[in-house]
Amino acid sequence: MPLPFSPQWKDKASGFFSSSGVKLKEAGQTAGTFVGEVAKDAKGNVAEVAGRVGLSVKSRWTLLQQPSTRHAMQERLIEAAASTGSILRKGISETKDKVAVGKTKVEEVAKKTAQKSKTIITDIERWQKGVASTDVFGVPIEVTVHREESSRPIPQILVKCADYLVLSGLNAPYLFKSEGDKKVIQQLVSSFNLDSNASLPDGVNPVDIAALVKCYLASLPEPLTTFELYEEIKGARSSINAMRNILKKLPTVNFMTLEYITALLHRVSQKSLLNKMDAQSLAMEFAPLIMWQNGQKPEYYRQYWNDPRTGQNGTDKAPTYSAWDMLAEEDDTAVASSMIPLDDGTPMDFGAIEVVQCLIQHHNAIFTDANETVWR
């Protein structure tokens, strides 16, 4: 059962609600006034911003309508168009240049590959036809001389090279020291491998002929002095008589060829004031090619010829080639007449140098029993 309120509590409650209603009404009026003022201010700000934007657009449009401004804009557009056209033309031109360069390089590679293919095919055809045994480079000297059936027991390639140099090359600077043109030498090697009686082309640089002589001597399986007599010949370098007697032990072909080569070197040394090659300089170049120990073959010159293709039973073997033989490019940056490096991985044999120098300087005294080579 609810408790009855006293008259005093009823009066207080009525006063509270009456005052609360008045306060709420005042608060509502105040809030309405504030919101109205804010909306009014915002509307004024928007109108002001819109007016400023309109003035700015109007002023810019007016500026654009002026002749000077339109002329300036046209010039800028023309410059931009010209610049873009120039860039495009330059790009097209550079592309054309790159295409041309690329085409040239492709043609060069194709040409080199075709040449290598031709050489390889020629070697294979020569082997298939059984004529690879006509090679001169890399073949024992006695085999070459026997095959040529010449009246002189000296390889024809050496005879022809020596005659060429005596006639037109003795004055060439650094003769037998300059390396020569690798491509020319390789062509000469191929020519003599196809025909041991081939002729030297007219106008060949004497330096290339001299390099061909060195290549041939370096290609021999055994040096002219032989492995057997290496120590005896080296020990006789201080005595002309001892050297003369030791050299008589050499096979006839080796003896006659050694006499022929040293006679040529003696003739070259007589022109040392012009060609800068005295007996000592020539001995340093030829000692590794004329006299070396077993297992110390001068490998530097192997780049000019192929290894002889013979098996254990003396029969020819088919040449083998890899993809690298087809694609490998020559070193175009090499200097045609650069000096051959003395350090090719083998120690310098000073005893052999002294032997060859002795053979050059005292050629006539040492080879008295031989039919001395004489050039007119």
Side-chain angles (χ1 to χ4, degrees):
M1 178 178 178
L3 295 176
F5 291 102
S6 64
Q8 183 179 0
W9 281 104
K10 289 181 178 180
D11 292 338
K12 288 183 178 180
S14 296
F16 173 75
F17 285 116
S18 177
S19 62
S20 296
V22 173
K23 290 180 179 179
L24 288 172
K25 184 178 181 180
E26 291 177 353
Q29 292 176 350
T30 303
T33 303
F34 177 75
V35 171
E37 292 177 353
V38 170
K40 184 177 180 180
D41 292 340
K43 183 177 181 181
N45 291 337
V46 170
E48 183 180 357
V49 171
R52 291 180 180 178
V53 172
L55 290 174
S56 177
V57 172
K58 185 177 180 180
S59 62
R60 291 179 180 274
W61 177 254
T62 302
L63 181 62
L64 290 173
Q65 293 298 316
Q66 295 179 2
S68 59
T69 304
R70 283 186 295 178
H71 182 68
M73 289 296 293
Q74 290 176 355
E75 288 183 349
R76 290 185 181 181
L77 290 174
I78 292 172
E79 290 177 358
S83 175
T84 303
S86 176
I87 292 173
L88 289 175
R89 285 193 298 271
K90 183 178 180 181
I92 293 173
S93 178
E94 290 178 352
T95 301
K96 289 182 178 179
D97 292 341
K98 290 180 180 179
V99 171
V101 172
K103 182 180 179 181
T104 302
K105 289 184 177 180
V106 169
E107 290 176 350
E108 290 177 355
V109 173
K111 185 176 180 181
K112 290 181 178 180
T113 303
Q115 184 63 35
K116 288 181 179 293
S117 300
K118 184 178 179 180
T119 302
I120 291 173
I121 291 173
T122 301
D123 286 346
I124 294 175
E125 288 178 347
R126 290 173 60 222
W127 170 79
Q128 290 175 340
K129 293 178 180 179
V131 296
S133 59
T134 61
D135 285 353
V136 171
F137 287 79
V139 177
I141 189 171
E142 65 274 11
V143 174
T144 299
V145 171
H146 176 74
R147 185 193 304 149
E148 292 174 347
E149 298 181 351
S150 174
S151 59
R152 303 175 67 183
I154 301 170
Q156 285 300 302
I157 183 174
L158 294 180
V159 174
K160 293 184 178 182
C161 289
D163 289 342
Y164 188 97
L165 292 175
V166 170
L167 289 175
S168 60
L170 292 180
N171 296 337
Y174 300 105
L175 190 67
F176 288 116
K177 188 172 185 179
S178 297
E179 181 178 356
D181 190 323
K182 183 177 179 179
K183 293 182 180 179
V184 173
I185 298 170
Q186 288 177 330
Q187 291 173 355
L188 293 173
V189 169
S190 299
S191 177
F192 277 96
N193 271 340
L194 290 171
D195 181 8
S196 62
N197 291 317
S199 299
L200 295 171
D202 294 333
V204 181
N205 191 333
V207 170
D208 297 330
I209 302 300
L212 183 65
V213 172
K214 296 174 71 175
C215 288
Y216 174 75
L217 294 176
S219 75
L220 296 176
E222 188 172 3
L224 292 179
T225 55
T226 70
F227 295 135
E228 181 182 358
L229 295 179
Y230 173 84
E231 294 296 342
E232 290 188 60
I233 293 176
K234 188 175 179 179
R237 63 185 184 273
S238 58
S239 171
I240 294 177
N241 290 329
M243 182 66 70
R244 184 191 303 117
N245 293 329
I246 294 297
L247 293 182
K248 290 179 181 180
K249 298 181 180 180
L250 289 173
T252 301
V253 173
N254 294 58
F255 180 82
M256 297 300 295
T257 303
L258 181 61
E259 187 277 329
Y260 191 81
I261 290 296
T262 51
L264 174 63
L265 299 180
H266 178 69
R267 185 68 179 271
V268 172
S269 68
Q270 292 176 334
K271 299 283 187 176
S272 60
L273 291 179
L274 297 174
N275 57 39
K276 313 298 182 185
M277 298 297 292
D278 56 15
Q280 184 178 13
S281 299
L282 292 168
M284 292 182 66
E285 295 297 323
F286 274 85
L289 311 177
I290 291 177
M291 186 176 181
W292 73 82
Q293 289 179 296
N294 196 3
Q296 295 185 358
K297 183 179 177 67
E299 299 293 341
Y300 173 81
Y301 299 88
R302 188 178 294 275
Q303 58 184 310
Y304 296 102
W305 72 87
N306 293 326
D307 290 335
R309 295 174 290 276
T310 54
Q312 295 179 354
N313 58 357
T315 59
D316 291 340
K317 297 190 299 181
T320 57
Y321 298 96
S322 66
W324 294 109
D325 295 324
M326 297 285 291
L327 299 178
E329 297 184 6
E330 304 293 343
D331 185 6
D332 296 333
T333 61
V335 179
S337 296
S338 59
M339 302 303 179
I340 296 176
L342 293 178
D343 185 7
D344 59 354
T346 57
M348 187 175 294
D349 191 340
F350 291 101
I353 294 175
E354 293 177 359
V355 168
V356 176
Q357 184 174 351
C358 174
L359 295 179
I360 296 172
Q361 291 178 328
H362 306 287
H363 172 271
N364 296 339
I366 293 175
F367 294 98
T368 53
D369 295 337
N371 296 322
E372 295 183 12
T373 302
V374 178
W375 286 279
R376 295 180 180 178

